[in-house]
Amino acid sequence: HPVSATAQTRPDFSGIWIASATDITLLLLPGEEISFTPYGADRYKKLDQANSPSYKCLPYGPTRGLQSTNPFQIIQNDGLFAIITEHIDYRLIYTDGRRHPEDILDYPEWMGHSTARWEGDTLIVDTIGMRPETWLDRGGLMHSEQLHLIERFDRTGMNEITWTVTVEDPVFFTHPWKYSLKLARLDFPRLIPAR
């Protein structure tokens, strides 16, 4: 697989991928559990799928966007890791050493603000500042504006990325929890945006 000429030691994640998953509670790593705060448990108990952001044509958010039934494209260069979905959402992950904006929690974004660093061949992404209208998955796990995500992208094969996510949100969950999912490369020439 081609590697960037200016970053030959880094794996190239560029391509079109898919990772359809409805319910991330089925993807928890061994020993992990989701423990709701009283507020989080009440919100989850009162979940109405009719309120899904997708039914309102809203952006999916960073985790749900990768777990959609739609493929997504990763475009990578030395300072940026961009994810574009067929749902016409896009996510920018900055790998150029910048920090999160100091006012990001005052102006949250649909995909949040993501910075990343390399740990060997693993891209580690730190995301904050997500709008609380998005869901974590299609199953209806919600979050607050205090959501903090740590994602690990590992190329575990020519056509596979292992994506591991740590979810932290003290409003909805009593402690952080992790899940993992395989992203599969698709042999598609291009994305076909929703019409």
Side-chain angles (χ1 to χ4, degrees):
H1 192 72
V3 176
S4 167
T6 57
Q8 295 181 3
T9 60
R10 304 297 188 208
D12 186 0
F13 293 86
S14 299
I16 296 179
W17 304 84
I18 195 162
S20 182
T22 302
D23 185 346
I24 56 180
T25 64
L26 305 175
L27 304 171
L28 295 177
L29 291 175
E32 295 288 327
E33 65 173 2
I34 297 174
S35 174
F36 290 102
T37 62
Y39 175 79
D42 185 60
R43 288 285 304 274
Y44 192 59
K45 189 171 106 177
K46 294 177 179 173
L47 171 71
D48 183 350
Q49 281 289 345
N51 291 324
S52 170
S54 64
Y55 296 152
K56 299 176 182 180
C57 296
L58 297 175
Y60 284 168
T63 58
R64 171 112 195 273
L66 293 194
Q67 297 157 190
S68 169
T69 54
N70 299 328
F72 57 90
Q73 184 166 4
I74 295 175
I75 302 166
Q76 177 181 347
N77 65 31
D78 291 344
L80 189 65
F81 192 89
I83 300 175
I84 302 166
T85 73
E86 280 192 344
H87 185 64
I88 319 182
D89 294 341
Y90 69 92
R91 182 179 180 198
L92 303 177
I93 300 170
Y94 298 99
T95 57
D96 59 2
R98 74 180 68 192
R99 297 177 176 273
H100 296 301
E102 291 184 9
D103 63 352
I104 187 61
L105 297 181
D106 296 327
Y107 304 97
E109 303 172 8
W110 290 107
M111 292 292 177
H113 188 270
S114 299
T115 60
R117 62 183 172 83
W118 290 96
E119 188 175 280
D121 288 342
T122 301
L123 184 69
I124 301 177
V125 181
D126 183 286
T127 304
I128 61 172
M130 286 146 283
R131 291 179 59 144
E133 297 97 323
T134 64
W135 286 3
L136 294 170
D137 65 355
R138 287 188 285 160
L141 280 175
M142 292 172 274
H143 65 86
S144 77
E145 64 281 350
Q146 293 187 42
L147 176 65
H148 178 207
L149 300 174
I150 300 290
E151 300 159 88
R152 298 175 64 94
F153 289 82
D154 290 288
R155 277 293 295 274
T156 45
M158 284 294 291
N159 298 307
E160 181 183 271
I161 296 171
T162 299
W163 177 51
T164 305
V165 183
T166 301
V167 177
E168 180 181 6
D169 183 343
V171 175
F172 272 76
F173 310 109
T174 62
H175 57 76
W177 47 275
K178 297 181 183 180
Y179 70 96
S180 188
L181 183 59
K182 302 291 187 188
L183 314 180
R185 179 187 296 281
L186 296 175
D187 187 20
F188 285 7
R190 64 187 176 92
L191 295 179
I192 301 174
R195 300 183 195 283

